[in-house]
Amino acid sequence: MDGNGRWAKKRFMPRVVGHKAGMDALIRVVDHCQKRGVEYLTVYAFSSENWKRPEDEVSGLMNLVLVGVAKYLGKLASQGVRVRIVGDRSAVSEKVRAAWNQSEADTAANTGLVLTVCFNYGGRWDIVQAARRAMAEGLSPEQLTEEALSARMSLAYAPDPDLFIRTGGELRVSNYLLWQIAYAEFHFSDCLWPDFDEREVDRALAAYAGRDRRFGGVKTTGSASSIA
Ligand code: IPE
Ligand code: MG
C-alpha cells in the first residue's frame, strides 16, 4: 500500500496523516473486494525494512495499529471478514501484539473474505522461517520439496495470489510475497494508496480479466479470487 507519505506531502501534512488516510482506504477496499467476490486480500502494511524509517514515523505506524483495531475491528468482524496477521510478531510491542491477537481471535470463526495483514513481514524472512521449521522438524534434503516448503510458509492457508497490485507508481516487488507470486498477474498503478478507491479496484480487476493465464501451459482461467 504505497504512496501514503507523498499523499500527505502534497497536502503539506505530516506523513502519519497519510498513513491514517491509507488505513481508511484499506477499509474501503476491503468492503469493495468483498462486494466483488474476492476471497483473499493480502496487504503489505509494514515491512521488515520499514524499521529504518524515522522513529516518529515508526511509532506513528505502530500507534495506528492500535487506533485502527479499536476503530474498525468491530465493523470487519460483523461483516464476516476473517483477519490474519503474518510476519515476525516477536519484534513488535506487547500492545501491538495484543491488538493483532485480538483481531485474529475476534474474527477466527468468520467465513467471509480473509484479510491478511503483512506486518513486520519480508518475503525472504518467510522463506527462511519455513526452511528453519522444516529443518527443526528433521526433514531430509529429499523431503524438502516445493510442497513441503509451501506448507510451512506463513501464508500456507491461502491460495497464491492471482493478482498482485502495487500502488504509488513504483515498479518493484520490495520483498513482498516472493515465494507466492510465481504465477501472479501484476498490476501497477500510479494512484497513491489513500486515493485507491472502488474505481481503482475495478480497474485492477478489469486489467486482470484481460490477461491470458497459462501457468506455463496452454489453458486460461476465470476471475481473481486472491489479491495481494
Ligand atoms: C505507505 O506508503 C507504506 C508504509 C510503510 C505504510 P509510504 O510511506 O511508502 O509512502 P511514500 O512512498 O513515501 O509516498
Ligand atoms: Mg513508499
Side-chain angles (χ1 to χ4, degrees):
M1 300 181 284
D2 201 11
N4 295 346
R6 282 163 283 166
W7 184 93
K9 195 174 173 206
K10 272 192 355 196
R11 288 163 178 76
F12 307 102
M13 291 195 290
R15 293 176 59 83
V16 69
V17 174
H19 294 313
K20 197 189 156 295
M23 186 175 68
D24 298 335
L26 172 60
I27 299 301
R28 240 180 11 237
V29 166
V30 169
D31 287 353
H32 196 61
C33 282
Q34 216 174 10
K35 216 162 111 188
R36 288 284 181 259
V38 172
E39 294 172 75
Y40 294 86
L41 178 66
T42 304
V43 297
Y44 206 177
F46 193 85
S47 79
S48 323
E49 291 76 31
N50 285 151
W51 295 107
K52 286 187 235 159
R53 295 193 176 196
E55 208 186 302
D56 63 329
E57 184 171 351
V58 171
S59 63
L61 284 164
M62 295 299 159
N63 191 51
L64 205 53
V65 171
L66 309 180
V67 172
V69 169
K71 190 171 174 192
Y72 290 118
L73 181 59
K75 170 186 150 56
L76 292 173
S78 68
Q79 67 196 54
V81 172
R82 171 142 193 210
V83 180
R84 306 196 63 150
I85 315 302
V86 154
D88 183 359
R89 245 179 268 200
S90 69
V92 302
S93 75
E94 196 56 57
K95 270 190 182 166
V96 169
R97 199 161 37 241
W100 284 145
N101 291 343
Q102 188 201 347
S103 308
E104 291 186 326
D106 287 5
T107 62
N110 283 352
T111 55
L113 179 143
V114 178
L115 170 65
T116 300
V117 180
C118 294
F119 199 87
N120 196 23
Y121 169 92
R124 289 180 173 179
W125 164 84
D126 198 11
I127 295 169
V128 169
Q129 71 77 29
R132 280 185 178 164
R133 261 204 254 179
M135 290 174 87
E137 289 168 32
L139 265 73
S140 69
E142 294 72 31
Q143 287 171 318
L144 191 70
T145 58
E146 289 186 16
E147 292 71 30
L149 206 54
S150 287
R152 288 164 180 80
M153 302 293 293
S154 55
L155 273 142
Y157 58 85
D160 287 347
D162 298 312
L163 174 60
F164 179 103
I165 302 173
R166 174 138 192 179
T167 61
E170 310 292 357
L171 305 176
R172 295 189 283 273
V173 173
S174 301
N175 200 17
Y176 189 38
L177 305 179
L178 298 180
W179 177 266
Q180 295 85 355
I181 58 175
Y183 283 101
E185 294 291 333
F186 283 70
H187 178 73
F188 293 99
S189 165
D190 288 333
C191 182
L192 302 175
W193 175 255
D195 293 327
F196 205 83
D197 58 7
E198 293 83 351
R199 219 176 47 152
E200 292 290 336
V201 171
D202 286 344
R203 231 176 239 164
L205 289 172
Y208 175 86
R211 308 280 173 87
D212 184 16
R213 302 185 82 197
R214 292 183 296 277
F215 298 98
V218 288
K219 280 205 208 82
T220 59
T221 52
S223 62
S225 71
S226 181
I227 300 183

